[in-house]
Amino acid sequence: MTESTHKAPRVRGEFEVIRDGLRLLGLRTRTTRRELFREAFALTPLPALPSDAPVVRGMRPAVRRVAVRLPHMAIVALALFLFGWGSGWYGMSDSEYYDEFGTYDPFAGTLEGGHIGLPVSLAAALPLLLVLFRPVGAWWLSLVVCFALAATITSADDWPWGEATFVSHLVVLAIAALRRSVGTAVAMWLLTTLCGLVGSWLSLRPRDEVNAVQMTVASAVVIAVAVSVRGWTAASRRAEASGALTAQERSRRTRLEKRTSIAHELHDVVAHHMSVIAIQAEAAPYRVENPPPELTASFATIRENAVAALAELRRVLGVVRTEDYEAPSAPQPTLADLDRLLGNVRDAGLAVEKTVTGARRELPQGVELSAYRIVQEALSNVLRHAPGAPAKVELSYVLGGLALRIINEAPAGERPPSPGAGQGVAGMRERVAMLGGRMTAGETPDGGYEVAVLLLTDDPHEALADAPVAAPADGIREKALGT
């Protein structure tokens, strides 16, 4: 017999309830204490604007290097303006220099016998200069200096903040809120409000002379705007980063699809040749009367290896084959089908010419298939990105390979936008790299576009180093090699 015990639910204490409420407001106590006290005067310079910011994006490089410091220049200019404004904050009329007995007092409204314009100006300007390097420290300086001055002033229209120090404190508070956590910004607002209300109560001044409530409302609005701007900026950066990752993933997926398509096409080519080898090896002993056993065994080994290679090729291709892949019923195209392709393109409205130089010869099936696909993709790009622009296709049979050049003139109007721009060129590069060739693609001086390719039929290194090139294809070969 077992005895079950039921644990009573734990009742949260008042401190835990308050702590959870502060967390909902963004007040994480450890982060707030660290930023507000331990790291209050840590050196954290205000960063410059990014070089791609909308404000400076269209400027010349020399001007942009200076314009990225626009926030710093604006803060310094505001500090100078408030310095001049603060010197006249406690300006007094002539009647205020006489006491209640009618005696003239030249030091009325002064601080230790001197004019208070300079201390007030410094109280407004110094926190703004310090906020460029230590934002929370500048807020502490603004708060302490303003109340220290207010405690020693005998005459003021507004208390505890004058007009210049009022503006200065709000600007410092906004910059600190932009550069620190939400909890620190709320804590600074609470301390500002608390100091203002307690100071107003201790000063025993008339309510119309105290502006602590105005500071509380204005600072709350400033912090709300600063936190909103900071959140919007962070969300925009996350969206840009996510968009960049999505574009990279889309490009990667397109490359994989291109490679898979190339693998399917090459499978047909390689499988055809391996099948021919297997059939020839099986039939060869029957072509010779009384073949020796060694020859029969060699041909049997050749056939077995060819059949094993075919099985392994199908197994590897099955890894990259998609579920919805359908094997083509028609044979793979070659350069003999190029005229039919050009006819279809002309029917679509593209004026295209073909030029062939060099002695025509039969090329390996993989080279002819890749050449056909490259011409097909290049002409598709012309139809998509330069509608109405005439194009030329040049084929040069050179020693060791085949040179291709597809060029189009500038389009008559503006180029239409294309979300998948660049993927077709990437697919062409994949085919050229697979055959060890060379390719360049780019705009021409007259605004058109040119694709130059060299596909090698021999060993790539020997063909590039030793094989001479026919004269009509010199320009194409140089373009393809990037020389």
PDB file of all heavy atoms in Angstrom, residues 443-462:
ATOM      1  N   GLU A 443      28.680  43.341 -69.495  1.00  0.00           N
ATOM      2  CA  GLU A 443      28.147  44.344 -70.408  1.00  0.00           C
ATOM      3  C   GLU A 443      29.221  44.824 -71.372  1.00  0.00           C
ATOM      4  O   GLU A 443      30.409  44.878 -71.026  1.00  0.00           O
ATOM      5  CB  GLU A 443      27.584  45.531 -69.615  1.00  0.00           C
ATOM      6  CG  GLU A 443      26.365  45.181 -68.782  1.00  0.00           C
ATOM      7  CD  GLU A 443      25.731  46.421 -68.171  1.00  0.00           C
ATOM      8  OE1 GLU A 443      26.205  47.533 -68.488  1.00  0.00           O
ATOM      9  OE2 GLU A 443      24.779  46.275 -67.394  1.00  0.00           O
ATOM     10  N   THR A 444      28.781  45.195 -72.568  1.00  0.00           N
ATOM     11  CA  THR A 444      29.673  45.755 -73.573  1.00  0.00           C
ATOM     12  C   THR A 444      29.686  47.271 -73.449  1.00  0.00           C
ATOM     13  O   THR A 444      28.800  47.863 -72.820  1.00  0.00           O
ATOM     14  CB  THR A 444      29.205  45.339 -74.978  1.00  0.00           C
ATOM     15  OG1 THR A 444      27.857  45.809 -75.173  1.00  0.00           O
ATOM     16  CG2 THR A 444      29.230  43.827 -75.123  1.00  0.00           C
ATOM     17  N   PRO A 445      30.672  47.956 -74.046  1.00  0.00           N
ATOM     18  CA  PRO A 445      30.724  49.423 -73.931  1.00  0.00           C
ATOM     19  C   PRO A 445      29.493  50.137 -74.469  1.00  0.00           C
ATOM     20  O   PRO A 445      29.156  51.224 -73.998  1.00  0.00           O
ATOM     21  CB  PRO A 445      31.981  49.786 -74.738  1.00  0.00           C
ATOM     22  CG  PRO A 445      32.838  48.556 -74.684  1.00  0.00           C
ATOM     23  CD  PRO A 445      31.880  47.403 -74.687  1.00  0.00           C
ATOM     24  N   ASP A 446      28.810  49.541 -75.430  1.00  0.00           N
ATOM     25  CA  ASP A 446      27.646  50.207 -76.006  1.00  0.00           C
ATOM     26  C   ASP A 446      26.352  49.877 -75.276  1.00  0.00           C
ATOM     27  O   ASP A 446      25.259  50.216 -75.751  1.00  0.00           O
ATOM     28  CB  ASP A 446      27.512  49.860 -77.490  1.00  0.00           C
ATOM     29  CG  ASP A 446      27.348  48.355 -77.713  1.00  0.00           C
ATOM     30  OD1 ASP A 446      27.490  47.586 -76.731  1.00  0.00           O
ATOM     31  OD2 ASP A 446      27.080  47.949 -78.858  1.00  0.00           O
ATOM     32  N   GLY A 447      26.423  49.184 -74.122  1.00  0.00           N
ATOM     33  CA  GLY A 447      25.229  48.898 -73.345  1.00  0.00           C
ATOM     34  C   GLY A 447      24.623  47.538 -73.582  1.00  0.00           C
ATOM     35  O   GLY A 447      23.596  47.210 -72.985  1.00  0.00           O
ATOM     36  N   GLY A 448      25.234  46.734 -74.463  1.00  0.00           N
ATOM     37  CA  GLY A 448      24.739  45.384 -74.698  1.00  0.00           C
ATOM     38  C   GLY A 448      25.302  44.403 -73.682  1.00  0.00           C
ATOM     39  O   GLY A 448      25.766  44.777 -72.596  1.00  0.00           O
ATOM     40  N   TYR A 449      25.284  43.122 -74.049  1.00  0.00           N
ATOM     41  CA  TYR A 449      25.768  42.084 -73.157  1.00  0.00           C
ATOM     42  C   TYR A 449      26.447  41.007 -73.983  1.00  0.00           C
ATOM     43  O   TYR A 449      26.016  40.704 -75.109  1.00  0.00           O
ATOM     44  CB  TYR A 449      24.618  41.461 -72.356  1.00  0.00           C
ATOM     45  CG  TYR A 449      25.063  40.762 -71.108  1.00  0.00           C
ATOM     46  CD1 TYR A 449      25.294  41.476 -69.938  1.00  0.00           C
ATOM     47  CD2 TYR A 449      25.260  39.381 -71.083  1.00  0.00           C
ATOM     48  CE1 TYR A 449      25.707  40.846 -68.770  1.00  0.00           C
ATOM     49  CE2 TYR A 449      25.681  38.734 -69.925  1.00  0.00           C
ATOM     50  CZ  TYR A 449      25.896  39.469 -68.780  1.00  0.00           C
ATOM     51  OH  TYR A 449      26.311  38.841 -67.624  1.00  0.00           O
ATOM     52  N   GLU A 450      27.516  40.446 -73.444  1.00  0.00           N
ATOM     53  CA  GLU A 450      28.311  39.461 -74.178  1.00  0.00           C
ATOM     54  C   GLU A 450      28.641  38.286 -73.273  1.00  0.00           C
ATOM     55  O   GLU A 450      29.016  38.463 -72.107  1.00  0.00           O
ATOM     56  CB  GLU A 450      29.605  40.098 -74.693  1.00  0.00           C
ATOM     57  CG  GLU A 450      30.507  39.124 -75.430  1.00  0.00           C
ATOM     58  CD  GLU A 450      31.814  39.769 -75.855  1.00  0.00           C
ATOM     59  OE1 GLU A 450      32.119  40.879 -75.352  1.00  0.00           O
ATOM     60  OE2 GLU A 450      32.531  39.166 -76.669  1.00  0.00           O
ATOM     61  N   VAL A 451      28.500  37.091 -73.818  1.00  0.00           N
ATOM     62  CA  VAL A 451      28.906  35.851 -73.150  1.00  0.00           C
ATOM     63  C   VAL A 451      29.921  35.172 -74.051  1.00  0.00           C
ATOM     64  O   VAL A 451      29.623  34.868 -75.222  1.00  0.00           O
ATOM     65  CB  VAL A 451      27.704  34.923 -72.894  1.00  0.00           C
ATOM     66  CG1 VAL A 451      28.170  33.602 -72.281  1.00  0.00           C
ATOM     67  CG2 VAL A 451      26.694  35.598 -71.984  1.00  0.00           C
ATOM     68  N   ALA A 452      31.119  34.942 -73.540  1.00  0.00           N
ATOM     69  CA  ALA A 452      32.186  34.290 -74.298  1.00  0.00           C
ATOM     70  C   ALA A 452      32.614  33.038 -73.555  1.00  0.00           C
ATOM     71  O   ALA A 452      32.897  33.088 -72.350  1.00  0.00           O
ATOM     72  CB  ALA A 452      33.368  35.228 -74.496  1.00  0.00           C
ATOM     73  N   VAL A 453      32.672  31.910 -74.269  1.00  0.00           N
ATOM     74  CA  VAL A 453      32.925  30.610 -73.641  1.00  0.00           C
ATOM     75  C   VAL A 453      33.924  29.842 -74.483  1.00  0.00           C
ATOM     76  O   VAL A 453      33.895  29.905 -75.721  1.00  0.00           O
ATOM     77  CB  VAL A 453      31.613  29.798 -73.506  1.00  0.00           C
ATOM     78  CG1 VAL A 453      31.892  28.408 -72.957  1.00  0.00           C
ATOM     79  CG2 VAL A 453      30.624  30.525 -72.614  1.00  0.00           C
ATOM     80  N   LEU A 454      34.802  29.116 -73.799  1.00  0.00           N
ATOM     81  CA  LEU A 454      35.700  28.180 -74.463  1.00  0.00           C
ATOM     82  C   LEU A 454      35.498  26.820 -73.814  1.00  0.00           C
ATOM     83  O   LEU A 454      35.804  26.623 -72.632  1.00  0.00           O
ATOM     84  CB  LEU A 454      37.162  28.616 -74.337  1.00  0.00           C
ATOM     85  CG  LEU A 454      38.187  27.657 -74.953  1.00  0.00           C
ATOM     86  CD1 LEU A 454      37.982  27.552 -76.455  1.00  0.00           C
ATOM     87  CD2 LEU A 454      39.604  28.085 -74.621  1.00  0.00           C
ATOM     88  N   LEU A 455      34.969  25.856 -74.579  1.00  0.00           N
ATOM     89  CA  LEU A 455      34.762  24.488 -74.109  1.00  0.00           C
ATOM     90  C   LEU A 455      35.873  23.615 -74.669  1.00  0.00           C
ATOM     91  O   LEU A 455      36.140  23.624 -75.882  1.00  0.00           O
ATOM     92  CB  LEU A 455      33.397  23.963 -74.579  1.00  0.00           C
ATOM     93  CG  LEU A 455      32.170  24.759 -74.111  1.00  0.00           C
ATOM     94  CD1 LEU A 455      30.892  24.166 -74.706  1.00  0.00           C
ATOM     95  CD2 LEU A 455      32.087  24.770 -72.592  1.00  0.00           C
ATOM     96  N   LEU A 456      36.532  22.862 -73.797  1.00  0.00           N
ATOM     97  CA  LEU A 456      37.689  22.064 -74.181  1.00  0.00           C
ATOM     98  C   LEU A 456      37.279  20.624 -74.412  1.00  0.00           C
ATOM     99  O   LEU A 456      36.481  20.047 -73.667  1.00  0.00           O
ATOM    100  CB  LEU A 456      38.757  22.133 -73.090  1.00  0.00           C
ATOM    101  CG  LEU A 456      39.240  23.552 -72.728  1.00  0.00           C
ATOM    102  CD1 LEU A 456      40.250  23.488 -71.621  1.00  0.00           C
ATOM    103  CD2 LEU A 456      39.817  24.246 -73.942  1.00  0.00           C
ATOM    104  N   THR A 457      37.866  20.052 -75.461  1.00  0.00           N
ATOM    105  CA  THR A 457      37.609  18.638 -75.767  1.00  0.00           C
ATOM    106  C   THR A 457      38.778  17.763 -75.387  1.00  0.00           C
ATOM    107  O   THR A 457      38.617  16.543 -75.255  1.00  0.00           O
ATOM    108  CB  THR A 457      37.329  18.469 -77.272  1.00  0.00           C
ATOM    109  OG1 THR A 457      38.437  18.984 -78.021  1.00  0.00           O
ATOM    110  CG2 THR A 457      36.070  19.215 -77.658  1.00  0.00           C
ATOM    111  N   ASP A 458      39.987  18.335 -75.221  1.00  0.00           N
ATOM    112  CA  ASP A 458      41.171  17.581 -74.821  1.00  0.00           C
ATOM    113  C   ASP A 458      41.456  17.852 -73.363  1.00  0.00           C
ATOM    114  O   ASP A 458      40.639  18.435 -72.645  1.00  0.00           O
ATOM    115  CB  ASP A 458      42.371  17.973 -75.699  1.00  0.00           C
ATOM    116  CG  ASP A 458      42.099  17.668 -77.173  1.00  0.00           C
ATOM    117  OD1 ASP A 458      41.354  16.708 -77.434  1.00  0.00           O
ATOM    118  OD2 ASP A 458      42.624  18.407 -78.020  1.00  0.00           O
ATOM    119  N   ASP A 459      42.637  17.470 -72.913  1.00  0.00           N
ATOM    120  CA  ASP A 459      43.037  17.773 -71.548  1.00  0.00           C
ATOM    121  C   ASP A 459      43.079  19.283 -71.373  1.00  0.00           C
ATOM    122  O   ASP A 459      43.723  19.985 -72.156  1.00  0.00           O
ATOM    123  CB  ASP A 459      44.424  17.175 -71.259  1.00  0.00           C
ATOM    124  CG  ASP A 459      44.863  17.461 -69.834  1.00  0.00           C
ATOM    125  OD1 ASP A 459      44.360  16.792 -68.908  1.00  0.00           O
ATOM    126  OD2 ASP A 459      45.688  18.373 -69.648  1.00  0.00           O
ATOM    127  N   PRO A 460      42.429  19.833 -70.353  1.00  0.00           N
ATOM    128  CA  PRO A 460      42.320  21.288 -70.229  1.00  0.00           C
ATOM    129  C   PRO A 460      43.664  21.975 -70.184  1.00  0.00           C
ATOM    130  O   PRO A 460      43.876  22.983 -70.849  1.00  0.00           O
ATOM    131  CB  PRO A 460      41.533  21.476 -68.926  1.00  0.00           C
ATOM    132  CG  PRO A 460      40.787  20.195 -68.737  1.00  0.00           C
ATOM    133  CD  PRO A 460      41.650  19.139 -69.305  1.00  0.00           C
ATOM    134  N   HIS A 461      44.625  21.457 -69.428  1.00  0.00           N
ATOM    135  CA  HIS A 461      45.909  22.140 -69.272  1.00  0.00           C
ATOM    136  C   HIS A 461      46.712  22.103 -70.567  1.00  0.00           C
ATOM    137  O   HIS A 461      47.308  23.102 -70.979  1.00  0.00           O
ATOM    138  CB  HIS A 461      46.690  21.495 -68.134  1.00  0.00           C
ATOM    139  CG  HIS A 461      45.969  21.550 -66.831  1.00  0.00           C
ATOM    140  ND1 HIS A 461      45.816  22.711 -66.106  1.00  0.00           N
ATOM    141  CD2 HIS A 461      45.321  20.580 -66.125  1.00  0.00           C
ATOM    142  CE1 HIS A 461      45.135  22.467 -64.998  1.00  0.00           C
ATOM    143  NE2 HIS A 461      44.812  21.177 -64.976  1.00  0.00           N
ATOM    144  N   GLU A 462      46.724  20.945 -71.236  1.00  0.00           N
ATOM    145  CA  GLU A 462      47.445  20.874 -72.487  1.00  0.00           C
ATOM    146  C   GLU A 462      46.807  21.744 -73.552  1.00  0.00           C
ATOM    147  O   GLU A 462      47.475  22.420 -74.327  1.00  0.00           O
ATOM    148  CB  GLU A 462      47.496  19.423 -72.968  1.00  0.00           C
ATOM    149  CG  GLU A 462      48.301  18.506 -72.042  1.00  0.00           C
ATOM    150  CD  GLU A 462      48.317  17.085 -72.554  1.00  0.00           C
ATOM    151  OE1 GLU A 462      47.708  16.851 -73.631  1.00  0.00           O
ATOM    152  OE2 GLU A 462      48.930  16.203 -71.899  1.00  0.00           O
TER     153      GLU A 462
END
